[in-house]
């Protein structure tokens, strides 16, 4: 399995990596659906949705402020750094992440598409105002905006479309990819999960300690963690 993946990566004119919360697990950040995941400990439909925000903006911001503080304390792990290194070793590399923790950027990845937004900024629901988030997010007494709108996390919630230019770039990268690495995602959230299945010609490799919704449809399964497998791939390509 690994040999063929290495050969394909070396020969690839274009490579796409699609990541999910699993790549940040070894940085100490909880995933969504795993044991102890955010969806186990929180009623996410109330928190990560436009309706939930409209109903109780302070509760939603308290949750995102908690996550923002955790992101600040977390550090990129060997998996994040390996993808940043892989970008320099392969041609036409694009990283599309579902994560909002900015750890890929902090690890030095350059071409990063944040499919579900990020927790670096808040934006107003009523006008074009945006503002950076502090280390612990947004003070709850600053949610209401002067225009009458509310500051919300710059995140894509369920039922919301992904940022058009980001989605177009990711979809185009998937169509061009000779190799698609799918790392640390349960592949249940669309349209992000579709990126792994859009291009029948691509060689798709999944890196995940557990089986996922697409394990039966990929060309290569590396059953291990991101911080184990990705450095091994980069090591082999660099030698
Ligand atoms: C959309 C942001 C068009 C918030 C998230 C009905 C109405 C409307 C839409 C839908 C509908 N029915 C279905 C849909 C589509 C819906 C969807 O996909 N629903 C699913 C749940 C069925 N999608 C949407 O709504 C999207 N928008 O479709 O727009 C539209 C518009 C209007 C009307 C109709 C359509 C928007 C999706 C974005 C939602 N936002 N989060 C936040 O972060 O707070 S989703 C959330 O799930 C996160 O973004 C997360 O990244 C994403 C995916 O989860 P994963 O990252 O995969 O995490 P998970 O815990 O699931 O898995 C972790 C994996 O890591 C596991 O496999 C585990 O084994 C592995 N792992 C663990 N440790 C490690 C590891 N791997 C490697 N190493 C390790 N150490």
């Amino acid at each position: 399995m690994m040999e063929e993946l290495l050969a394909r990566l070396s020969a690839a004119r274009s490579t796409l990596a699609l990541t999910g919360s699993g790549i940040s697990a070894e940085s100490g950040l909880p995933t969504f659906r795993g044991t102890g995941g955010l969806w186990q400990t929180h009623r996410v439909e109330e928190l990560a949705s436009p309706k939930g925000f409209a109903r109780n903006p302070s509760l939603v911001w308290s949750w995102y402020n908690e996550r923002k503080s955790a992101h600040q304390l977390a550090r990129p792990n060997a998996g994040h750094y390996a993808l940043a290194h892989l970008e320099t070793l392969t041609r036409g590399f694009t990283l599309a992440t579902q994560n909002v923790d900015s750890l890929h950027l902090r690890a030095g990845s350059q071409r990063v598409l944040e499919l579900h937004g990020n927790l670096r900024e808040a934006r107003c629901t009523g006008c074009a105002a945006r503002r950076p988030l502090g280390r612990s997010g947004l003070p709850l007494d600053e949610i209401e905006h002067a225009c009458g709108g509310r500051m919300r996390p710059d995140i894509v919630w369920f039922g919301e479309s992904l940022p058009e230019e980001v989605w177009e770039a990711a979809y185009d990268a998937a169509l061009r990819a000779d190799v698609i690495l799918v790392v640390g995602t349960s592949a249940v959230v669309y349209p992000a999960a579709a990126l792994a299945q859009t291009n029948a010609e691509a060689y798709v490799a999944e890196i995940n300690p557990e089986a996922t919704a697409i394990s039966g449809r990929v060309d290569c399964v590396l059953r291990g963690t991101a911080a184990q497998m990705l450095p091994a791939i980069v090591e082999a390509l660099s030698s």
Side-chain angles (χ1 to χ4, degrees), residues 19-23 25-26 31-34 39 48 63-64 67 98-100 116 155-162 183-191 207-212 224-227:
T19 64
S21 62
I23 195 168
E26 284 153 295
T31 60
F32 284 85
R33 296 168 186 85
W39 289 22
W63 186 51
Y64 279 102
R67 288 177 61 194
Q98 300 170 86
N99 301 339
V100 299
H116 295 161
I155 294 267
V156 180
W157 283 325
F158 282 107
E160 294 187 322
S161 302
L162 279 56
V183 187
T185 182
S186 57
V188 298
V189 172
Y190 283 79
I207 295 174
N208 196 315
E210 291 171 22
T212 71
T225 73

Side-chain angles (χ1 to χ4, degrees), residues 36-177:
L38 290 167
W39 289 22
Q40 235 107 58
T41 48
H42 295 77
R43 293 183 52 72
V44 178
E45 25 330 322
E46 270 175 36
L47 297 168
S49 73
K51 266 213 290 297
F53 181 69
R55 197 178 319 123
N56 191 336
S58 303
L59 174 69
V60 174
W61 267 115
S62 311
W63 186 51
Y64 279 102
N65 288 349
E66 214 180 281
R67 288 177 61 194
K68 174 70 181 177
S69 308
H71 294 171
Q72 293 294 123
L73 292 173
R75 303 163 59 77
N77 63 58
H80 295 105
Y81 286 114
L83 283 182
H85 192 174
L86 190 61
E87 183 171 4
T88 67
L89 297 175
T90 56
R91 288 173 294 173
F93 186 88
T94 300
L95 169 55
T97 186
Q98 300 170 86
N99 301 339
V100 299
D101 58 30
S102 304
L103 288 180
H104 285 302
L105 292 171
R106 285 173 53 194
S109 287
Q110 301 294 310
R111 179 133 174 78
V112 180
L113 300 170
E114 294 179 315
L115 300 171
H116 295 161
N118 62 71
L119 267 184
R120 293 188 299 277
E121 278 194 324
R123 62 184 171 82
C124 181
T125 58
C127 70
R130 300 176 81 86
R131 56 170 286 182
L133 291 180
R135 299 181 61 76
S136 44
L138 185 81
L140 298 186
D141 59 1
E142 294 177 20
I143 296 174
E144 304 305 322
H145 188 242
C147 78
R150 284 184 174 142
M151 299 311 287
R152 60 163 281 176
D154 195 16
I155 294 267
V156 180
W157 283 325
F158 282 107
E160 294 187 322
S161 302
L162 279 56
E164 196 167 332
E165 67 291 346
V166 171
W167 173 249
E168 289 302 320
Y171 190 69
D172 178 48
L175 289 182
R176 276 186 287 112

Side-chain angles (χ1 to χ4, degrees), residues 2-3 5-6 9 78-83 85-86 89 181 207 222 224-239:
M2 179 70 105
E3 292 64 41
L5 173 58
L6 294 174
L9 280 169
H80 295 105
Y81 286 114
L83 283 182
H85 192 174
L86 190 61
L89 297 175
L181 297 174
I207 295 174
L222 299 180
T225 73
Q228 289 163 346
M229 293 292 173
L230 288 168
I233 291 168
V234 168
E235 174 75 26
L237 285 177
S238 320
S239 55

